[in-house]
Amino acid sequence: MKRVFSGVQPSGSLTIGNYLGALRHFTRLQYEADCYFCVVDLHALTVPQDPEELYQNTLNTARLFVACGVDPKQATIFVQSHVPAHTTLSWLMECNTYYGELRRMTQFKDKAAKHDVVTAGLFTYPALMAADILLYQTDEVPVGEDQRQHLELTRDIAMRMNNRFGPLFKVPEPYIAPKTAGGRIMSLQNPAEKMSKSSDDPRSYIALLDPPDVVRKKIRSAVTDSGREIRYDPEEKPALSNLLVIYSLATGESIDSLEERYRNSGYGQFKADLAEAVVELLAPIQERFRELSEPGVIENILAEGADRAERVAAETLARVQAAMGLVPRHAAAVSSSRQETRAPSSIT
Ligand code: AMP
Ligand code: TRP
Protein backbone atom coordinates (compact mmCIF):
# COMPACT_ATOMS: atom_id res chain seq x y z
CA MET A 1 0.00 0.00 0.00
CA LYS A 2 1.16 3.49 -0.86
CA ARG A 3 2.49 5.57 2.07
CA VAL A 4 1.54 9.24 2.47
CA PHE A 5 3.04 11.77 4.90
CA SER A 6 2.26 15.42 5.47
CA GLY A 7 2.83 17.98 8.20
CA VAL A 8 1.13 21.18 9.31
CA GLN A 9 2.66 23.73 11.66
CA PRO A 10 0.71 24.75 14.77
CA SER A 11 1.70 28.35 14.22
CA GLY A 12 -1.79 29.91 14.36
CA SER A 13 -5.30 28.85 13.54
CA LEU A 14 -5.57 26.93 10.28
CA THR A 15 -6.97 28.82 7.30
CA ILE A 16 -9.07 27.88 4.31
CA GLY A 17 -5.72 27.96 2.43
CA ASN A 18 -4.49 25.07 4.56
CA TYR A 19 -7.78 23.29 4.04
CA LEU A 20 -8.04 23.76 0.27
CA GLY A 21 -4.31 23.24 -0.37
CA ALA A 22 -3.64 20.30 1.93
CA LEU A 23 -6.19 19.01 4.46
CA ARG A 24 -8.90 18.42 1.87
CA HIS A 25 -6.57 15.95 0.16
CA PHE A 26 -5.72 14.20 3.44
CA THR A 27 -9.33 13.16 3.86
CA ARG A 28 -9.42 11.52 0.43
CA LEU A 29 -5.97 9.94 0.54
CA GLN A 30 -6.65 8.20 3.85
CA TYR A 31 -8.83 5.66 2.03
CA GLU A 32 -6.21 4.89 -0.63
CA ALA A 33 -2.98 4.93 1.32
CA ASP A 34 -1.30 4.33 4.67
CA CYS A 35 -1.34 7.95 5.87
CA TYR A 36 0.69 9.80 8.51
CA PHE A 37 -0.47 13.33 9.34
CA CYS A 38 1.77 15.19 11.72
CA VAL A 39 1.43 18.41 13.72
CA VAL A 40 4.97 19.72 13.29
CA ASP A 41 5.44 21.61 16.55
CA LEU A 42 9.23 21.61 16.27
CA HIS A 43 9.00 23.43 12.94
CA ALA A 44 6.83 26.09 14.57
CA LEU A 45 9.64 26.75 17.06
CA THR A 46 11.91 28.03 14.29
CA VAL A 47 10.29 31.46 14.82
CA PRO A 48 9.35 32.88 18.24
CA GLN A 49 6.25 31.27 19.79
CA ASP A 50 4.38 32.03 22.97
CA PRO A 51 4.54 28.71 24.91
CA GLU A 52 0.89 28.76 26.01
CA GLU A 53 -0.26 29.57 22.47
CA LEU A 54 1.92 26.88 20.95
CA TYR A 55 0.44 24.34 23.39
CA GLN A 56 -3.14 25.26 22.47
CA ASN A 57 -2.40 25.55 18.75
CA THR A 58 -0.85 22.08 18.72
CA LEU A 59 -3.97 20.47 20.19
CA ASN A 60 -6.27 22.60 18.04
CA THR A 61 -4.41 21.75 14.84
CA ALA A 62 -4.82 18.05 15.60
CA ARG A 63 -8.51 18.63 16.41
CA LEU A 64 -8.93 20.38 13.08
CA PHE A 65 -7.37 17.44 11.21
CA VAL A 66 -10.15 15.29 12.63
CA ALA A 67 -12.84 17.96 12.29
CA CYS A 68 -11.98 18.30 8.58
CA GLY A 69 -12.55 14.58 8.11
CA VAL A 70 -9.29 12.77 8.88
CA ASP A 71 -10.36 9.57 10.65
CA PRO A 72 -7.92 8.45 13.37
CA LYS A 73 -8.86 4.85 12.55
CA GLN A 74 -7.84 5.29 8.90
CA ALA A 75 -4.82 7.54 9.34
CA THR A 76 -2.12 8.04 11.94
CA ILE A 77 -2.36 11.50 13.52
CA PHE A 78 0.49 12.52 15.79
CA VAL A 79 2.69 15.32 17.13
CA GLN A 80 6.23 15.57 15.77
CA SER A 81 7.93 16.09 19.15
CA HIS A 82 6.33 12.89 20.49
CA VAL A 83 8.52 10.84 18.15
CA PRO A 84 12.14 11.77 18.91
CA ALA A 85 13.37 9.85 15.85
CA HIS A 86 12.47 12.99 13.85
CA THR A 87 15.10 15.14 15.55
CA THR A 88 17.66 12.34 15.61
CA LEU A 89 17.35 11.70 11.88
CA SER A 90 17.27 15.44 11.28
CA TRP A 91 20.84 15.74 12.54
CA LEU A 92 21.95 12.97 10.19
CA MET A 93 20.19 14.85 7.36
CA GLU A 94 21.87 18.12 8.30
CA CYS A 95 25.23 16.43 7.96
CA ASN A 96 24.28 15.45 4.40
CA THR A 97 22.77 18.80 3.38
CA TYR A 98 24.88 21.63 2.03
CA TYR A 99 24.98 25.18 3.34
CA GLY A 100 24.43 26.47 -0.20
CA GLU A 101 21.30 24.36 -0.62
CA LEU A 102 19.73 25.69 2.57
CA ARG A 103 20.71 29.25 1.73
CA ARG A 104 18.79 29.05 -1.55
CA MET A 105 15.45 28.14 0.09
CA THR A 106 12.97 30.90 -0.68
CA GLN A 107 10.92 30.25 2.46
CA PHE A 108 14.05 30.80 4.55
CA LYS A 109 14.82 34.04 2.71
CA ASP A 110 11.24 35.28 3.14
CA LYS A 111 10.99 34.41 6.82
CA ALA A 112 14.49 35.66 7.60
CA ALA A 113 13.55 39.02 6.08
CA LYS A 114 10.43 39.20 8.27
CA HIS A 115 12.05 38.47 11.63
CA ASP A 116 14.65 40.50 13.52
CA VAL A 117 16.30 37.37 14.86
CA VAL A 118 17.14 34.50 12.52
CA THR A 119 17.71 31.25 14.38
CA ALA A 120 19.85 28.32 13.27
CA GLY A 121 16.64 26.26 13.42
CA LEU A 122 15.00 28.44 10.78
CA PHE A 123 17.98 27.81 8.52
CA THR A 124 18.07 24.02 8.97
CA TYR A 125 14.26 23.67 8.91
CA PRO A 126 14.25 21.80 5.55
CA ALA A 127 16.53 19.07 6.97
CA LEU A 128 13.99 18.39 9.71
CA MET A 129 11.25 18.33 7.08
CA ALA A 130 13.26 15.83 5.02
CA ALA A 131 13.63 13.68 8.15
CA ASP A 132 9.85 13.80 8.75
CA ILE A 133 9.15 12.50 5.28
CA LEU A 134 11.98 10.02 4.81
CA LEU A 135 11.49 8.27 8.17
CA TYR A 136 8.21 6.84 6.89
CA GLN A 137 9.46 5.60 3.49
CA THR A 138 6.90 7.97 2.02
CA ASP A 139 5.65 7.63 -1.56
CA GLU A 140 3.60 10.82 -1.74
CA VAL A 141 3.50 14.15 0.11
CA PRO A 142 0.31 16.23 -0.26
CA VAL A 143 1.22 19.91 0.24
CA GLY A 144 0.54 23.36 -1.15
CA GLU A 145 2.64 24.90 -3.90
CA ASP A 146 4.80 26.81 -1.36
CA GLN A 147 6.42 23.53 -0.25
CA ARG A 148 7.63 22.42 -3.70
CA GLN A 149 11.20 23.61 -3.17
CA HIS A 150 11.46 21.87 0.21
CA LEU A 151 10.28 18.64 -1.39
CA GLU A 152 12.83 18.89 -4.15
CA LEU A 153 15.54 19.25 -1.52
CA THR A 154 14.12 16.24 0.35
CA ARG A 155 14.40 14.19 -2.83
CA ASP A 156 17.98 15.37 -3.40
CA ILE A 157 18.99 14.45 0.15
CA ALA A 158 17.34 11.02 -0.17
CA MET A 159 19.13 10.27 -3.43
CA ARG A 160 22.44 11.54 -2.11
CA MET A 161 22.26 9.38 1.01
CA ASN A 162 21.07 6.36 -0.98
CA ASN A 163 24.12 6.74 -3.21
CA ARG A 164 26.49 7.17 -0.33
CA PHE A 165 25.19 4.61 2.15
CA GLY A 166 23.07 2.17 0.14
CA PRO A 167 19.31 2.09 -0.40
CA LEU A 168 17.90 3.67 2.76
CA PHE A 169 15.00 5.81 1.64
CA LYS A 170 12.12 5.84 -0.81
CA VAL A 171 12.41 8.96 -2.93
CA PRO A 172 9.05 10.73 -2.34
CA GLU A 173 6.86 12.46 -4.92
CA PRO A 174 5.14 15.76 -4.24
CA TYR A 175 1.36 15.82 -4.58
CA ILE A 176 0.52 19.44 -5.33
CA ALA A 177 -2.81 20.67 -6.63
CA PRO A 178 -2.76 23.20 -9.49
CA LYS A 179 -3.57 26.80 -8.52
CA THR A 180 -7.15 26.53 -9.76
CA ALA A 181 -7.56 23.51 -7.49
CA GLY A 182 -6.34 25.20 -4.30
CA GLY A 183 -2.59 24.65 -4.53
CA ARG A 184 -2.03 28.32 -3.75
CA ILE A 185 -4.81 30.34 -2.12
CA MET A 186 -3.85 34.00 -1.93
CA SER A 187 -4.27 36.64 0.79
CA LEU A 188 -7.62 38.47 0.76
CA GLN A 189 -5.78 41.75 1.23
CA ASN A 190 -2.91 41.25 -1.20
CA PRO A 191 -3.36 38.81 -4.07
CA ALA A 192 0.40 38.73 -4.65
CA GLU A 193 0.97 36.97 -1.31
CA LYS A 194 -0.20 33.54 -0.20
CA MET A 195 -2.86 33.34 2.47
CA SER A 196 -1.00 32.63 5.71
CA LYS A 197 -2.14 31.89 9.25
CA SER A 198 0.89 33.67 10.64
CA SER A 199 0.03 36.99 8.93
CA ASP A 200 -0.23 40.05 11.18
CA ASP A 201 -3.42 41.14 9.43
CA PRO A 202 -6.31 38.76 10.28
CA ARG A 203 -8.36 40.26 7.43
CA SER A 204 -5.94 38.60 4.99
CA TYR A 205 -7.09 35.08 5.87
CA ILE A 206 -10.21 33.14 6.78
CA ALA A 207 -9.54 30.86 9.72
CA LEU A 208 -11.40 27.55 9.80
CA LEU A 209 -12.78 28.59 13.19
CA ASP A 210 -13.88 32.11 12.20
CA PRO A 211 -17.54 32.67 13.20
CA PRO A 212 -19.98 33.35 10.32
CA ASP A 213 -20.08 37.11 10.91
CA VAL A 214 -16.32 37.36 10.81
CA VAL A 215 -16.22 35.36 7.56
CA ARG A 216 -18.81 37.71 6.02
CA LYS A 217 -16.90 40.79 7.12
CA LYS A 218 -13.56 39.53 5.85
CA ILE A 219 -14.98 38.62 2.45
CA ARG A 220 -16.78 41.96 2.21
CA SER A 221 -13.50 43.77 2.87
CA ALA A 222 -11.43 41.55 0.53
CA VAL A 223 -9.66 43.63 -2.11
CA THR A 224 -10.93 43.37 -5.70
CA ASP A 225 -9.57 44.48 -9.04
CA SER A 226 -10.64 47.33 -11.27
CA GLY A 227 -13.66 46.77 -13.53
CA ARG A 228 -16.93 45.07 -12.58
CA GLU A 229 -16.66 41.87 -14.55
CA ILE A 230 -16.58 38.50 -12.74
CA ARG A 231 -13.94 36.70 -14.77
CA TYR A 232 -11.09 34.25 -14.01
CA ASP A 233 -7.92 35.99 -15.16
CA PRO A 234 -5.00 35.64 -12.73
CA GLU A 235 -2.91 38.20 -14.64
CA GLU A 236 -5.45 41.00 -15.00
CA LYS A 237 -7.72 40.15 -12.08
CA PRO A 238 -5.65 38.33 -9.47
CA ALA A 239 -7.85 39.21 -6.48
CA LEU A 240 -11.10 38.18 -8.11
CA SER A 241 -9.55 35.04 -9.58
CA ASN A 242 -8.53 33.99 -6.08
CA LEU A 243 -12.10 34.51 -4.85
CA LEU A 244 -13.42 32.48 -7.78
CA VAL A 245 -11.10 29.60 -6.90
CA ILE A 246 -12.28 29.67 -3.28
CA TYR A 247 -15.92 29.81 -4.38
CA SER A 248 -15.50 26.96 -6.83
CA LEU A 249 -13.73 24.70 -4.32
CA ALA A 250 -16.16 25.52 -1.51
CA THR A 251 -19.21 24.58 -3.57
CA GLY A 252 -17.92 22.19 -6.24
CA GLU A 253 -19.30 24.45 -8.99
CA SER A 254 -16.83 24.98 -11.84
CA ILE A 255 -15.22 28.37 -12.44
CA ASP A 256 -16.79 28.49 -15.93
CA SER A 257 -20.23 28.00 -14.48
CA LEU A 258 -19.65 30.70 -11.84
CA GLU A 259 -18.51 33.17 -14.51
CA GLU A 260 -21.67 32.44 -16.44
CA ARG A 261 -23.92 32.78 -13.38
CA TYR A 262 -22.44 36.13 -12.33
CA ARG A 263 -22.21 37.52 -15.86
CA ASN A 264 -24.68 40.31 -15.03
CA SER A 265 -23.94 40.82 -11.34
CA GLY A 266 -21.50 43.10 -9.62
CA TYR A 267 -18.87 42.31 -7.00
CA GLY A 268 -21.34 42.96 -4.15
CA GLN A 269 -23.68 40.08 -4.98
CA PHE A 270 -20.79 37.79 -5.82
CA LYS A 271 -19.09 38.46 -2.49
CA ALA A 272 -22.30 38.05 -0.48
CA ASP A 273 -22.93 34.63 -2.07
CA LEU A 274 -19.29 33.60 -1.67
CA ALA A 275 -19.45 34.48 2.03
CA GLU A 276 -22.48 32.21 2.48
CA ALA A 277 -20.72 29.39 0.60
CA VAL A 278 -17.70 29.64 2.89
CA VAL A 279 -19.89 29.83 6.02
CA GLU A 280 -21.61 26.64 4.85
CA LEU A 281 -18.30 24.92 4.17
CA LEU A 282 -17.05 25.74 7.67
CA ALA A 283 -20.21 25.00 9.68
CA PRO A 284 -19.79 21.19 9.94
CA ILE A 285 -16.04 21.55 10.60
CA GLN A 286 -16.71 23.95 13.48
CA GLU A 287 -19.40 21.67 14.87
CA ARG A 288 -17.08 18.65 14.94
CA PHE A 289 -14.30 20.79 16.38
CA ARG A 290 -16.50 21.64 19.37
CA GLU A 291 -17.19 17.96 20.00
CA LEU A 292 -13.48 17.20 19.91
CA SER A 293 -12.75 19.82 22.54
CA GLU A 294 -13.97 17.51 25.35
CA PRO A 295 -10.95 16.89 27.58
CA GLY A 296 -8.92 13.81 26.77
CA VAL A 297 -10.39 13.10 23.32
CA ILE A 298 -7.63 14.48 21.13
CA GLU A 299 -4.94 13.59 23.67
CA ASN A 300 -5.89 9.89 23.36
CA ILE A 301 -5.89 10.03 19.57
CA LEU A 302 -2.42 11.61 19.63
CA ALA A 303 -1.02 9.09 22.11
CA GLU A 304 -2.12 6.20 19.91
CA GLY A 305 -0.82 7.96 16.81
CA ALA A 306 2.61 8.51 18.35
CA ASP A 307 2.89 4.80 19.22
CA ARG A 308 2.05 3.77 15.66
CA ALA A 309 4.37 6.37 14.12
CA GLU A 310 7.22 5.50 16.43
CA ARG A 311 7.26 1.86 15.35
CA VAL A 312 7.73 2.77 11.68
CA ALA A 313 10.17 5.59 12.39
CA ALA A 314 12.37 3.47 14.66
CA GLU A 315 12.95 0.93 11.91
CA THR A 316 14.20 3.47 9.39
CA LEU A 317 16.29 5.30 11.96
CA ALA A 318 18.08 2.13 13.07
CA ARG A 319 18.91 1.23 9.47
CA VAL A 320 20.29 4.70 8.75
CA GLN A 321 22.38 4.78 11.91
CA ALA A 322 23.87 1.38 11.13
CA ALA A 323 24.58 2.32 7.51
CA MET A 324 26.35 5.51 8.58
CA GLY A 325 28.61 3.64 10.98
CA LEU A 326 27.10 4.59 14.34
CA VAL A 327 27.63 1.90 16.96
CA PRO A 328 24.31 0.81 18.46
CA ARG A 329 23.90 1.20 22.19
CA HIS A 330 23.40 -2.54 22.59
CA ALA A 331 26.25 -3.45 20.30
CA ALA A 332 26.42 -7.02 21.54
CA ALA A 333 22.97 -7.70 20.14
CA VAL A 334 24.09 -6.76 16.65
CA SER A 335 25.58 -9.30 14.29
CA SER A 336 29.22 -9.79 15.23
CA SER A 337 30.26 -10.15 11.59
CA ARG A 338 29.76 -6.46 11.03
CA GLN A 339 31.89 -5.50 14.03
CA GLU A 340 34.68 -7.83 12.92
CA THR A 341 34.76 -6.55 9.39
CA ARG A 342 34.68 -2.92 10.54
CA ALA A 343 37.17 -3.01 13.43
CA PRO A 344 40.67 -1.92 12.41
CA SER A 345 43.15 -4.83 12.74
CA SER A 346 45.41 -2.87 15.10
CA ILE A 347 42.85 -3.02 17.91
CA THR A 348 41.59 -6.58 17.47
P1 AMP B 1 1.70 25.50 7.07
O1 AMP B 1 0.55 26.26 7.60
O2 AMP B 1 2.74 26.38 6.47
O3 AMP B 1 2.24 24.48 8.00
O4 AMP B 1 1.11 24.68 5.85
C1 AMP B 1 0.38 23.48 5.99
C2 AMP B 1 -0.03 22.97 4.62
O5 AMP B 1 -0.97 23.88 4.03
C3 AMP B 1 1.15 22.87 3.66
O6 AMP B 1 0.93 21.76 2.82
C4 AMP B 1 1.05 24.15 2.87
O7 AMP B 1 1.63 24.03 1.59
C5 AMP B 1 -0.47 24.33 2.77
N1 AMP B 1 -0.81 25.74 2.62
C6 AMP B 1 -0.51 26.74 3.49
N2 AMP B 1 -0.97 27.92 3.03
C7 AMP B 1 -1.56 27.66 1.84
C8 AMP B 1 -2.21 28.47 0.86
N3 AMP B 1 -2.34 29.78 1.03
N4 AMP B 1 -2.69 27.87 -0.25
C9 AMP B 1 -2.56 26.53 -0.43
N5 AMP B 1 -1.94 25.71 0.44
C10 AMP B 1 -1.45 26.27 1.56
N1 TRP C 1 7.11 22.93 5.96
C1 TRP C 1 5.72 22.58 5.92
C2 TRP C 1 4.87 23.88 5.88
O1 TRP C 1 5.25 24.89 6.36
C3 TRP C 1 5.31 21.78 7.11
C4 TRP C 1 5.98 20.44 7.13
C5 TRP C 1 6.93 20.01 8.00
C6 TRP C 1 5.74 19.35 6.23
N2 TRP C 1 7.29 18.73 7.73
C7 TRP C 1 6.59 18.29 6.66
C8 TRP C 1 4.89 19.18 5.14
C9 TRP C 1 6.62 17.07 6.00
C10 TRP C 1 4.92 17.94 4.47
C11 TRP C 1 5.78 16.91 4.90
O2 TRP C 1 3.80 23.83 5.37
Side-chain angles (χ1 to χ4, degrees):
M1 202 187 205
K2 196 167 67 176
R3 189 65 64 71
V4 164
F5 184 98
S6 194
V8 178
Q9 297 188 61
S11 52
S13 43
L14 299 197
T15 70
I16 53 167
N18 294 124
Y19 178 72
L20 299 174
L23 276 151
R24 196 166 58 99
H25 302 293
F26 298 180
T27 60
R28 192 169 35 78
L29 286 164
Q30 66 184 337
Y31 299 108
E32 307 166 7
D34 181 20
C35 290
Y36 291 77
F37 299 127
C38 184
V39 182
V40 290
D41 53 348
L42 301 172
H43 275 110
L45 288 175
T46 57
V47 297
Q49 297 289 337
D50 174 76
E52 182 54 30
E53 271 177 32
L54 178 66
Y55 188 100
Q56 294 306 333
N57 283 337
T58 299
L59 294 176
N60 284 344
T61 301
R63 287 185 182 111
L64 279 171
F65 281 8
V66 182
C68 287
V70 179
D71 177 352
K73 293 207 170 59
Q74 286 290 333
T76 301
I77 302 173
F78 71 106
V79 175
Q80 188 183 34
S81 67
H82 292 178
V83 182
H86 288 246
T87 34
T88 310
L89 184 65
S90 177
W91 178 256
L92 306 179
M93 303 264 122
E94 280 181 42
C95 295
N96 285 279
T97 306
Y98 306 138
Y99 175 75
E101 287 176 319
L102 293 173
R103 209 180 38 187
R104 277 198 295 278
M105 293 292 117
T106 54
Q107 183 176 294
F108 169 71
K109 289 192 270 191
D110 290 349
K111 288 196 181 179
K114 275 195 199 135
H115 292 91
D116 299 336
V117 176
V118 178
T119 65
L122 186 64
F123 188 63
T124 58
Y125 173 122
L128 177 59
M129 177 160 166
D132 296 341
I133 296 167
L134 299 178
L135 267 179
Y136 297 88
Q137 304 295 341
T138 302
D139 296 284
E140 224 168 71
V141 186
V143 282
E145 176 65 42
D146 60 324
Q147 297 303 312
R148 187 184 291 281
Q149 198 187 25
H150 287 157
L151 274 175
E152 268 157 25
L153 180 59
T154 300
R155 289 169 54 85
D156 288 344
I157 297 171
M159 288 187 272
R160 178 177 307 151
M161 291 181 73
N162 285 348
N163 280 334
R164 204 170 280 170
F165 304 110
L168 291 174
F169 303 118
K170 261 243 176 88
V171 180
E173 297 288 340
Y175 177 97
I176 300 174
K179 274 192 195 161
T180 48
R184 192 167 168 80
I185 300 293
M186 309 312 283
S187 154
L188 299 182
Q189 292 298 319
N190 176 3
E193 264 180 22
K194 74 158 187 172
M195 182 181 286
S196 165
K197 55 172 136 70
S198 52
S199 162
D200 292 334
D201 181 0
R203 292 177 316 154
S204 70
Y205 58 79
I206 293 172
L208 295 181
L209 297 177
D210 277 346
D213 280 350
V214 173
V215 171
R216 293 187 185 105
K217 213 163 138 202
K218 285 181 177 177
I219 291 183
R220 220 178 304 128
S221 65
V223 299
T224 40
D225 317 281
S226 52
R228 282 177 45 93
E229 220 186 332
I230 311 281
R231 175 166 55 88
Y232 182 79
D233 180 345
E235 297 295 316
E236 296 290 318
K237 289 179 157 273
L240 194 75
S241 299
N242 186 44
L243 297 181
L244 271 167
V245 168
I246 296 173
Y247 200 151
S248 163
L249 294 172
T251 58
E253 184 171 350
S254 73
I255 291 178
D256 284 352
S257 156
L258 288 169
E259 283 177 338
E260 184 60 35
R261 193 139 71 80
Y262 287 97
R263 185 185 290 281
N264 299 313
S265 334
Y267 290 161
Q269 186 60 47
F270 172 78
K271 279 180 160 184
D273 293 352
L274 167 62
E276 293 319 307
V278 174
V279 166
E280 237 172 82
L281 174 75
L282 299 187
I285 296 175
Q286 297 181 353
E287 175 64 34
R288 282 198 293 267
F289 180 85
R290 274 189 290 275
E291 291 159 16
L292 289 157
S293 299
E294 293 280 314
V297 176
I298 199 68
E299 289 84 349
N300 286 337
I301 291 173
L302 292 174
E304 218 175 276
D307 286 345
R308 290 214 295 258
E310 187 142 53
R311 283 194 287 275
V312 180
E315 224 174 275
T316 301
L317 180 62
R319 280 208 290 129
V320 179
Q321 288 171 322
M324 291 179 74
L326 302 182
V327 176
R329 180 157 149 207
H330 302 294
V334 169
S335 113
S336 57
S337 62
R338 160 138 201 168
Q339 291 170 42
E340 279 160 22
T341 54
R342 277 289 169 107
S345 53
S346 57
I347 58 163
T348 51

